Amino acid sequence: MLDSDDDNSSVSSTSTMRSDRMSVSGTEEVQLEKDTLLDEALDALYEKRGSTREKALSSIIEAFNNTLQHQFVEKKFATLLHQCLSSIKRGSSREIALASHAIGLLALTVGYGENSREILEESVAPISQALKSGFDSSKIASLLECLAVITFVGGNDPEETERTMQIMWQIVHPKLGSNVVATRPSAPIITAMVSAWSFLLTTMDGCSLDSKKWQQSISYFSTLLDKDDRSIRIAAGEALALILETGSLEKFSSEAKGSNDGSREEYIHLQGLKGKILNQVRNLSVEAGGKGSAKKDLTSQRNLFKDILEFLEYGYCPETSTKIGGESLKTSNWSQLIQLNFLKHFLGGGFVKHMQENEFLHDVFGFTPKRKYLSVAEHHISSTDKRMYKSPNSVVNKARTQKLNKQRMLSEGRNVGHYAVNVDDDEV
């Protein structure tokens, strides 16, 4: 009976082990297939046909959204970056938009360090040039978002960030030469510029910026609150809330009030501007509708400007909580909220995956997902391996139990002098 049980257990164990090995093999094959597809997409960026390159860039974006491609980036970082930059220099508007998004995803994947510095240093010039050629809304918006992300990740000092913000600002306030005709930017371009500019402002010490630039930006955003497009009004409202959160307006008002160099008029202007903004915010928080084409955004607008009004009148910042894998990602000020909204928009469907696994974003938001509480060994072990090594009914544990039982029986046999049998342990 004992031999029979051993035989049955051996058959069952062998079958289970074969099944588990097939599962592991299947997982490895899937990963290998994904790596192969990424390699093929990267190779396709060398093709002459633009539509082929666009399709390849779409595949790369999907892959980087769905999984953090650390191994791929480790091997192919420079190649991917320079091929995407090549697409920005020579591609169609659609190809430029896709390549810009891919570079932004690449920066978020590598995080802080030399690679993100290289992305910023290599990309600013071609992106700046592409921003000056044509006014396709999708292309310009993607370039601005890319510029914001690579500066956010790779920028080391305020001067670099301010330089990028100035490049963005020139999209809506170009420096006109004698042969240059001003072109009015579209609503999507204005919205993208204000959002990207505000995203970078979250990393800056507002008091270190030039007061004239501050006044220029505050006045401009105030005029945007009167625009018909709701997306513009929402972006401008968030920018103003962020500026006011830094206390910069109060600082400049105090400086003008206490100055003896004829700045009294400047102080009066700033106080008047603050009162104007307060009235605009109050009106937008109770807007009845009809102004702006996207009525579905009316509720979002009201809620936003109610929050801004409460902040202006009482100093309360909105608090938010977003569930990610069982943990809550919380924001408690305008700076964090603007960062969160911008990155959610940029990552789209990949936001949750990146928030769960991207250590750079964990640092940005001070967020620790549940899986991070696991030990390092637990973090890297697959579900199949866990079944093989940890379950009492696992293949490995069953084999270990059988081996111990046989050794125990043989030992007892030797002790009574009957079953003096030599057995090689490796047979079990």
Side-chain angles (χ1 to χ4, degrees), residues 3 109 158 168 206 216 229 247-248 272 292 309 314 347 368 371 408:
D3 289 342
T109 300
M168 295 173 174
Q216 182 187 24
D229 188 277
S248 299
L309 183 62
Y314 306 109
L347 289 167
T368 304
R371 60 174 300 171
R408 188 180 301 112

Side-chain angles (χ1 to χ4, degrees), residues 326-356:
E327 288 295 320
S328 294
L329 170 58
K330 298 180 179 180
T331 67
S332 58
N333 55 48
W334 287 106
S335 178
Q336 293 172 343
L337 181 59
I338 287 171
Q339 289 179 355
L340 176 63
N341 287 341
F342 186 91
L343 290 169
K344 281 176 71 174
H345 168 74
F346 182 81
L347 289 167
F351 174 73
V352 172
K353 182 71 172 180
H354 275 260
M355 280 309 310
Q356 288 176 327

Side-chain angles (χ1 to χ4, degrees), residues 82-124:
H82 290 103
Q83 285 308 114
C84 286
L85 290 175
S86 178
S87 289
I88 287 177
K89 294 173 184 176
R90 65 173 177 168
S92 64
S93 291
R94 173 169 166 73
E95 184 177 348
I96 291 172
L98 291 168
S100 301
H101 199 76
I103 290 175
L105 288 170
L106 179 61
L108 287 174
T109 300
V110 301
Y112 298 118
E114 293 182 2
N115 284 345
S116 60
R117 289 290 305 156
E118 182 178 343
I119 292 173
L120 179 60
E121 291 168 359
E122 296 288 331
S123 303
V124 169

Side-chain angles (χ1 to χ4, degrees), residues 268-297:
I268 294 173
H269 170 71
L270 288 171
Q271 289 302 107
L273 186 57
K274 185 177 180 180
K276 177 188 175 185
I277 292 171
L278 182 60
N279 287 330
Q280 289 175 305
V281 169
R282 184 177 288 112
N283 291 335
L284 289 170
S285 69
V286 293
E287 183 185 340
K291 185 179 182 182
S293 57
K295 291 188 176 181
K296 64 180 181 180
D297 292 334

